[in-house]
Amino acid sequence: MPHSHLPPHPVLSLHDSQSRATVPFTPIDPAHVKVYYCGPTVYDLAHIGNLRAMLTADVLVRLLRYVYPRVTFVRNITDVDDKITARARANGEDIGSLTQRTTEEFHQDLASMNVLPPDIEPRATHNIGEMQAMIARLIKNGHAYEAEGHVLFSVSSFPSYGALSGRNPEDLEAGARVEVAPYKKAPGDFVLWKPSDADQPGWDSPWGRGRPGWHIECSAMSHRYLGDSFDIHGGGSDLLFPHHENERAQSLCCFPHGKFANYWVHNAMLLVEGEKMSKSLGNFLTIRDVLAQAPAEALRLLLLGAHYRSTLNYTQAGLQEARKTLDRFYRALAAGPVPKTDVPEAVLQALADDLNTPKAIAELHALAAQALAGDRQAAGALKAGAGMLGLLQGDPEQWFKGDASDEDAAIEALINERLAARKARDFAKADALRDQLQAQGIVLEDTKDGTSWRRA
Ligand SMILES: [Zn+2]
């Protein structure tokens, strides 16, 4: 898919968090665009909030690859973290086996979501030397200090601290969220290196055996693979402060001749049925939870249905709606031959306008309508346009067959639950289950031999 022609077409605009504006995207080197995204901390299955950031990156990188001849996309793996140590201990599992297993699960889940892998996926534990070199340099040039086995970044040494997230340092110090520790010169100073006891993972260093703070990992890995200045740094909006603010401070103080990231892209958060996703609310959804009940493309379409900077409300109804949309799109493809065509201009323009995926999807709806009315060029354009969003990648016949076994099992479980409710004379529950099945397009027929079902 990469085009070799320059200048790039179409002109891409992106919302840059630091300038708080949507601005034209001008790469440092149009012959080679460089992107860094913060990857997962590997101790558990990825949830659909994590997926939203990975999908935003995926659409951005697909578009960049279409426009520019070469793109290097780096996404790290954080495989040293106190959450990992705690989980390994709770599982009675070795840290290495936990991070290995979780990394593999993450790869499988993203592959099943058709998220393309990064070009380089560095692991934090393979870059400890780079982190130590950066920390030593920060101490040498007066931006960091050693205290009780810790090395801390001195926020007051960097006047531009807070410029990315729009917070000023006085607010930060007044804020209750900074960790207060006796060895800090100022409450906002953050950890670059901390001591490890015998039970914690650790590496020898000039400051004693210890482990890196989280923020320095990304600064070291982005520098190693992308240099002093690169084009785009991205992640979820929850990373803007303190993680990205701190990455920026470390990197600019360590490499003052570079610019670190020229553009910052942040996706908004995701709600589940209108509520913040949390384990305590019981609405915590892993990618696997959703894929047990719907095809991957339905989840993908649902998540791309909102602009990445808008809060996305994940709902069951939305998932069913996305599935029906895909039924329609696949019907449009299946209705006749699908000629190979270019990506339609309207889809490209929508995506080039700060990744306006809802608008791109609206264009796909229009193309599907034309294709269903007999326009086979439109069917080709539908497939090519959907490809930019990583959608309609399957064979229509396969789509309509579906992963029938899992789904059928889920439907039959609901039917059995309804029969049990009827036996218990809980008719309200039985009716609610019937409605739920109906919403999924399942028609029930009660006969003297039991209940049979079919898809509407
Ligand atoms: Zn990061």
Side-chain angles (χ1 to χ4, degrees), residues 40-42 77-81 84 95 99 103 123-126 217:
T41 300
V42 283
I77 296 278
T78 293
D79 60 352
V80 52
D81 188 281
I84 296 173
I95 287 177
T99 58
T103 301
R123 301 172 69 111
T125 54
H126 295 178
E217 297 181 5

Side-chain angles (χ1 to χ4, degrees), residues 368-389:
Q370 290 166 32
L372 285 166
D375 178 349
R376 297 321 294 165
Q377 273 310 112
L382 170 64
K383 183 154 173 98
M388 289 300 293
L389 296 172

